[in-house]
Amino acid sequence: MTYILGLSAYYHDSAACLIRDGEIVAAAQEERFNRKKHYAGFPAQAVRYCLKAGGISLAELTYVVFYDKPLLKFERLLETYLAFAPAGLRSFLAAMPVWLKEKLLLKSQLQKELSSLHPTASKVGSLPILFGEHHESHAASAFYPSPYERAAVLCMDGVGEWATTSAWVGEGQALTPLWEIPFPHSLGLLYSAFTYYTGFKVNSGEYKVMGLAPYGKPKYVQAIYDHLVDLKADGTFRLNMTYFNYCTGLTMTGSQFDRLFGGPPRKPESPLTQREMDLARSIQDVTEEVMLRLSRTLHRETRMDQLCLAGGVALNCVGNGRILREGPFTGLWIQPAAGDAGAAVGAALAAWHRFEDQPRRPAPTGDGMKGTYLGPAFSDETIEQALATRGAAYSRLPDHILFDRVTDELAAGKIVGWFQGRMEFGPRALGGRSILGDARNPTMQSVMNLKIKYRESFRPFAPSVLRERVSDYFDMAVDSPYMLLVAPVAGKRRLPTTNQDGDRWGIERLNIPRSDIPAVTHVDYSARVQTVHEDTNPRYYALLKAFEAKTGCAVLVNTSFNVRGEPIVCTPDDAYRCFMRTGMDVLVIENCLLQKADQKPLDGDSNWQEEFSLD
């Protein structure tokens, strides 16, 4: 058998993936193990987990594949500083020590890190280490696990080595590049500039900008087109770099940007104003337009009916939804870990199909990501031992009683931590490590945001819906297993607004009920939909079926099992601590049910806000 380990590291969201003869065995982000969100260092614990899941040692690997080429990235760095010289000296001096000491010697650094994981380091000293190109890794992660034999592939992110956007054609095992847009002209970095300017963290807060956008008006769209982005009819674009600072400075935007939009960037954690909402709406509208134009161009050039997406911009589920509804493609598949973590998957698969010249074999479910349930699972014995160590009070229940009890609690307005099976790979909780609530409850969104997640009140929650019932609730008739498509709530579900409601704007619109599933209906009547499938997550599917049988509603609120700034929980102990630190009412870990009222306070537990940095 051929085992290949894919690695993504040293920028953000480091991860590891193990494939066996082309099949994904395991994949996980390092942050889930070391509890440091967006961790960028070597993914040592993720590698250990992947090897354990595959039942092999490091010495049994055929290849290790890194997700990009550091020498090409260094070339881009040097050429950029030379192009903008003498500006950027401070940034140049800050970047060089790390490159000269570590990144230029990445192969030996990786060999050292891998050897430290093996009891006999000499056995892995000659392990072949390959380097794929960044956008090739993204493209491979999008196409090879997809259900399509032939597809166009579009990758959009901040920047790889040089490419910021790239187009490909996938046919069988072949993946052919078509064209790319080079740095510094980047849709991802443009969006990140507005993320920074509106007071959120770059590479972390972009989804907050997307969630804030419906509260605003597209007031600045024309200013963006007039001053920042020269957008062509085919979707290609150039940025006016006089407004940006990311090539030479330590921030995303500069003084020209401040003057254009009427002041300095918002200070993080300060009150949001209508300006930030309007800026968010404006850059979201521009981003969607670029995504639509690029996808239409790719369809015209390739004449293919299916499209695969990857890269950080592919996490913009509002734009994805518009491509599905308004674009020319009949099929759309998006890599669930579309950012750099997923590039570890692509690097490994590219080595198998391209370097080893191996054919593709269709996955049994048509989706090589296996519902993205690729992380650790825990035995009953391990779970009960963890709970006993904590002195937790719990009941162990058979399935039929467990599902009856949990659906009763949900219907009564209780909030349930749901820990089942293998952990998800990627940024979304999909019923493996989730916090659940009743979508019909009009106060559920505010309670979850303020008392469970401790996050900004404007942020929406996503619905999980039985796949066969999706069209009864949303204007959608396709699979959306990875919560990466936004769709309108069905007209028959919507509630009429009053004249007084129509006069409200911005955050004032938050508490207006909009449908009979208000907890998952955003202010623009949209929802980020997860369709739940029996073949990939039978227990979560069974819970939804039981809830529908009891209430007539086939939808639950589903948010990730964590607090703000914390990675999604990985272990039973992570879940118990998060449960005890929040206003969650019930915790379910496999067949163990815990009530908050029955638990003793955590001994000597630190405040979570001291443990996790706000994102």
Side-chain angles (χ1 to χ4, degrees), residues 396-408 593:
R396 182 168 182 79
L397 304 173
D399 278 1
H400 69 284
I401 296 176
L402 178 74
F403 286 107
D404 186 57
R405 288 275 297 275
V406 173
T407 50
D408 276 346
L593 186 143

Side-chain angles (χ1 to χ4, degrees), residues 442-457:
T443 65
M444 186 59 63
Q445 181 192 11
S446 59
V447 170
M448 276 191 163
N449 266 328
L450 299 176
K451 295 184 179 180
I452 309 296
K453 302 285 282 188
Y454 302 112
R455 67 185 200 179
E456 300 91 343
S457 62

Side-chain angles (χ1 to χ4, degrees), residues 333-345:
W333 193 88
I334 307 152
Q335 164 57 238
D340 278 8
V345 174

